[in-house]
Amino acid sequence: MKRTEFSVLIGLIISIIITSVSAFAADCENIRSDTLRLHILANSDSAADQELKLKVRDAILEKSPTLFEGSVSLEDAVKSAEASLSEIKATAEEEIFANGYNYSVNAYLCDMYFETREYEEFTLPAGNYKALRIEIGAARGKNWWCVLFPPLCLINTESDTGEELEVRSAFWDWIT
């Protein structure tokens, strides 16, 4: 192989790699810019506070289909979340008080960084996402998150250690 042919081949390979990386980066940005995540922080890492966090999660997820009904874009979902912040906070407070605690609750929208999470069928890339954040009490415990929009929640069926997950999609449930 001549030097010129070798140079052209190397140039072609580099071009293909750069194009692939650029396409992947664009896909990742599309995911991040079209996703609203729910992020719940427990008061502490005690077993009771972790259990309470999951009860708050369940109460909020029970209401989320009606809160985000009709949302067809991230912008719609964010507007719905903003309009529902007091209701979301009240739902969390009611669950906390019903379980015998008097922790404060802070609920707000923010941009926050999430690490890459890989699952069997998809990957959520690392980066900044729009998030509905709920802080229970001192908010110094382990967190739990899911994707509110598009409606996809990752619910751990065993414990909150990430060992066994049930992937649920409202869209998939609707079409099947």
Side-chain angles (χ1 to χ4, degrees), residues 21-37:
V21 169
S22 295
F24 176 73
D27 288 345
C28 289
E29 183 53 38
N30 287 339
I31 291 169
R32 287 189 295 266
S33 67
D34 201 30
T35 301
L36 175 63
R37 294 174 84 157

Side-chain angles (χ1 to χ4, degrees), residues 34-94:
D34 201 30
T35 301
L36 175 63
R37 294 174 84 157
L38 172 63
H39 187 248
I40 303 174
L41 282 166
N43 178 62
S44 75
D45 284 338
S46 74
D49 282 348
Q50 289 299 307
E51 183 178 329
L52 180 63
K53 170 191 69 182
L54 297 177
K55 288 180 179 182
V56 168
R57 170 203 69 188
D58 293 345
I60 290 169
L61 289 180
E62 188 174 308
K63 288 196 175 211
S64 69
T66 57
L67 295 175
F68 298 102
E69 191 173 56
S71 293
V72 294
S73 68
L74 176 62
E75 185 177 300
D76 291 343
V78 168
K79 285 180 184 176
S80 294
E82 286 173 338
S84 303
L85 280 175
S86 60
E87 182 180 351
I88 292 165
K89 180 180 177 180
T91 298
E93 288 172 336
E94 288 169 14

Side-chain angles (χ1 to χ4, degrees), residues 111-140:
D111 290 314
M112 62 183 293
Y113 183 83
F114 288 87
E115 296 289 333
T116 297
R117 295 295 294 250
E118 293 183 20
Y119 300 95
E120 287 182 27
E121 296 182 25
F122 65 95
T123 297
L124 288 172
N128 287 318
Y129 289 81
K130 183 65 82 178
L132 169 58
R133 187 169 167 121
I134 303 191
E135 299 172 339
I136 302 170
R140 292 198 175 123

